[in-house]
Amino acid sequence: MKKKISFTSQGQRADIGEYKTNRILPNRYADSVGPFVFLDHLMPAKHSPDEPIKAVNGTGAHPHRGIATLTYIMNGEADHFDSYGHHAKVSSGGVQWMKAGNGIIHDEAVNVDAKANDLLTHALQFWINLPAKNKAEQPNYLPVQANEVQKQKLNGEKGWIKVIVGEYEKLASKIPGYTRQFIYHIHLETGKEFSLATENGLEYAAFLPIHNAMINDTEHNQGEFIEFDRDGGTIEFKNNSDTAIDIILFGGERYTEPIVAQGPFVMNSQQEIAQAYRDFHLGKYGKINYNQKN
């Protein structure tokens, strides 16, 4: 039996500096999917080959607390700095994960990947809500380069699946997980289909960053967010187009603790939000040293 779709929605423009961005989650129908409380789509941008490539100034230094941020670089190169002394660059196909824990300041920029020779920037950023006990832990950071992301070909030359977070069959991501959670990037060749059996009790959603796709016999459009009900069943993806398509499937175990989100902080009570702001203004999250080396 195929899993039922609860609702679909399109993102809302929420540009960040020079980045043209669609906010996919939260939306008018859902505040979260599994532990994921936020998803921004940095839309594809093609940079002119006739002009020097200018570095984007980034998001600007800003704080986080109570979550882990995850940036999946579909095209481009992400440059990360934070107040705990971490600095790394991650290129096309790689992932940046940062546990904000009890408070951190970070800055990241997505620029053209000179090695890819495609002049593109394109990325997704998720916020992963941490269990209360992990919100009190010290921050951490992990860069995962493209060649470290687990990937498997689909049978019948259908395409491939990447495990950005979580597990799939024998594949396991390097990204730490504090609850059951997954992000899959499914690449489906023209005329092919792929089915995934789901688990009862887990929450599932799909996002179509740049292509239309048939999902459980209904065509969905580029930029669409699709959330499924919590009953069991399979999710079937079909590619009826004349080009390969990309699908992001994510979700996991339902977050059962209270969720109180305000600005860059996601905590379990309003009092904890107030404390997060106090600690930030008292300088407890530290400062970024932009002279750090890789």
Side-chain angles (χ1 to χ4, degrees):
M1 186 175 68
K2 293 178 183 177
K3 198 169 178 65
K4 294 181 180 178
I5 293 172
S6 299
F7 68 88
T8 68
S9 68
Q10 291 279 349
Q12 299 292 321
R13 284 296 290 271
D15 293 353
I16 302 172
E18 300 179 46
Y19 301 118
K20 293 181 179 179
T21 304
N22 262 354
R23 184 143 302 155
I24 308 303
L25 187 71
N27 55 55
R28 62 182 296 186
Y29 302 109
D31 292 326
S32 62
V33 179
F36 299 98
V37 293
F38 180 94
L39 170 57
D40 262 5
H41 179 211
L42 173 62
M43 293 182 287
K46 183 84 171 181
H47 299 261
S48 172
D50 300 323
E51 299 177 3
I53 297 169
K54 298 178 181 178
V56 177
N57 292 327
T59 56
H62 60 280
H64 285 297
R65 184 163 171 165
I67 58 172
T69 63
L70 182 143
T71 305
Y72 177 37
I73 312 302
M74 299 183 75
N75 302 93
E77 181 183 75
D79 196 0
H80 169 97
F81 288 89
D82 68 47
S83 57
Y84 268 68
H86 303 118
H87 175 224
K89 292 183 179 182
V90 173
S91 300
S92 302
V95 183
Q96 293 200 108
W97 175 88
M98 183 189 75
K99 182 174 77 172
N102 61 11
I104 195 170
I105 296 172
H106 82 138
D107 190 0
E108 63 180 331
V110 180
N111 299 302
V112 167
D113 180 356
K115 296 178 182 177
N117 198 33
D118 59 12
L119 300 173
L120 285 172
T121 53
H122 183 203
L124 300 169
Q125 184 173 90
F126 295 84
W127 291 5
I128 306 168
N129 200 2
L130 297 173
K133 63 181 181 180
N134 302 112
K135 292 179 186 290
E137 295 174 348
Q138 284 200 341
N140 200 1
Y141 170 73
L142 179 66
V144 181
Q145 301 297 342
N147 61 359
E148 301 175 288
V149 176
Q150 295 286 287
K151 180 178 177 181
Q152 174 180 303
K153 290 183 178 180
L154 301 176
N155 292 334
E157 298 183 345
K158 295 178 180 179
W160 47 256
I161 184 170
K162 285 184 181 179
V163 178
I164 309 303
V165 169
E167 300 177 352
Y168 175 77
E169 295 185 348
K170 295 181 180 180
L171 305 182
S173 170
K174 293 179 66 175
I175 301 295
Y178 300 96
T179 60
R180 292 281 303 283
Q181 56 192 253
F182 59 88
I183 303 174
Y184 304 144
H185 178 178
I186 300 162
H187 183 82
L188 201 55
E189 297 294 340
T190 183
K192 302 296 184 178
E193 61 183 67
F194 169 71
S195 294
L196 182 104
T198 66
E199 293 185 41
N200 284 327
L202 296 188
E203 298 181 342
Y204 291 79
F207 175 60
L208 304 177
I210 51 177
H211 303 107
N212 293 1
M214 293 288 291
I215 302 177
N216 288 354
D217 302 319
T218 300
E219 182 162 5
H220 294 275
N221 297 321
Q222 168 192 351
E224 201 166 342
F225 168 88
I226 302 101
E227 185 171 90
F228 300 88
D229 69 9
R230 294 188 178 91
D231 294 333
T234 60
I235 301 174
E236 182 183 75
F237 302 101
K238 290 183 180 178
N239 179 7
N240 291 337
S241 70
D242 58 2
T243 186
I245 64 173
D246 293 286
I247 301 154
I248 304 297
L249 183 69
F250 68 98
E253 184 180 351
R254 186 178 184 183
Y255 192 88
T256 57
E257 296 171 334
I259 301 174
V260 182
Q262 187 172 320
F265 306 128
V266 182
M267 304 302 293
N268 300 116
S269 69
Q270 191 61 50
Q271 291 82 358
E272 290 175 340
I273 291 288
Q275 187 64 53
Y277 275 104
R278 280 195 294 269
D279 289 348
F280 170 62
H281 291 300
L282 288 171
K284 292 186 177 182
Y285 298 173
K287 294 182 179 180
I288 294 176
N289 175 11
Y290 287 98
N291 293 319
Q292 299 166 82
K293 305 296 183 183
N294 286 356

